[in-house]
Amino acid sequence: MTTTAVTNIASLVTNDPSLGDGTPLGLIQDAAVVIEGDRIVWTGEAGKAPATDNAVDAGGRAMIPGFVDSHSHLVFAGDRTHEFNARMSGRPYSAGGIRTTVSATRAASDDELSANVARYLAEALRQGTTTFETKSGYGLTVEDEARALRVASRHTDEVTFLGAHIVGPEYADDPAGYVDLVTGPMLDACAPYARWIDVFCEKGAFDGDQARAVLIAGKARGLHPRVHANQLGHGPGVQLAVELDAASADHCTHLTDADLDALGQGDTVATLLPGAEFSTRATWPDARRLLGAGATVALSTDCNPGSSFTSSMPFCIALAVRDMGMTPDEALWSATAGGAAALRRGDIGRITPGARADLVLLDAPSHVHLAYRPGVPLVSKVWRRGEPVA
């Protein structure tokens, strides 16, 4: 395999505190990165870079790891513009809006769903996202949930079964029967296509006992838990996530001190989704409380057609800095290494030897510009698995 050096990097974010300035970002000034195949084989000061077969001049720009979007809902059809417009005119968000997308998704063909996923992934890739997770949850029948996961698995290895998004409309008067469906025939059909299992543990969706039954059944089938937790109000989601060693508790908007202690002492990542608060005018999560409690924090888009229709990780970074109390350094770490932790991956979200060569070159001298210049398309070049892709 040939080697390629990217040189003349003004500021390199490695996410390795043993490198560069010793901060969590491991910043190296005047840096270079060497790629061989799909891996990084060397990182350091440009003047010390080894000889390579090829070289790319970064032009004095900043380089960061590819963004890791660890929470999205991309297998869907239809449009909820009217719902968004109404909500911005004063109607509050509730979990019931999901049913609108369920109807459209059931009516769509596999090819239409796959094309939709590809469209939004290409959109995200142009903005620097090189790894993403996505979920089912808009089918809510055995057949429709299984095909959603088949579609998702064509595009990513990070696939999550979310049959427990809301109670399927056919079971509106029998939520216990729907939980039996999710933990029985639906799980049987979906488990072969998924790595993760998720549940929306929230008033209007699934209570703590129902959520526990879903996650335990998934674990028994080899799927690892994730939890939609504490988005719309206080509830048992975070505590359940930590108890079951879920990889992440996502949203984490309404937290008690006990929730903070649990996240600070456990391995469950608190994934914050500022696009949802932006799009619903809801209370912002308090990232400072989470960080102060010692929790590992990730940032993600929650890209979905109802409550957070954005694929832009840079936008989420800007929101986290402006409205959730994070510093630019913390927000970038959470959008890269934090997302990797939420997927329990050690090969992405960092620029160090052995990591996957997922790199983003910014049209700026520093990563701080992601929050400093919100809304500006700063991504200049993207490598995924060592190949230039955008």
Side-chain angles (χ1 to χ4, degrees), residues 162-217:
L162 182 59
H165 201 181
I166 59 169
V167 173
E170 295 82 1
Y171 288 81
D173 297 324
D174 185 17
Y178 186 71
V179 172
D180 289 341
L181 180 73
V182 170
T183 58
M186 192 182 287
L187 179 59
D188 290 341
C190 292
Y193 305 103
R195 181 183 178 200
W196 308 97
I197 187 165
D198 199 345
V199 60
F200 190 8
C201 184
E202 197 74 56
K203 184 177 180 180
F206 298 89
D207 65 24
D209 291 339
Q210 293 167 331
R212 180 188 302 277
V214 169
L215 297 176
I216 289 176

Side-chain angles (χ1 to χ4, degrees), residues 73-77 101 105 113-114 116-117 134-139 147-149 151-152:
H73 303 251
L74 299 183
V75 187
F76 70 88
T101 300
T105 302
L113 293 176
S114 187
N116 227 21
V117 174
T134 202
K135 309 174 192 297
S136 64
Y138 293 125
R147 79 181 182 118
L149 295 174
V151 167

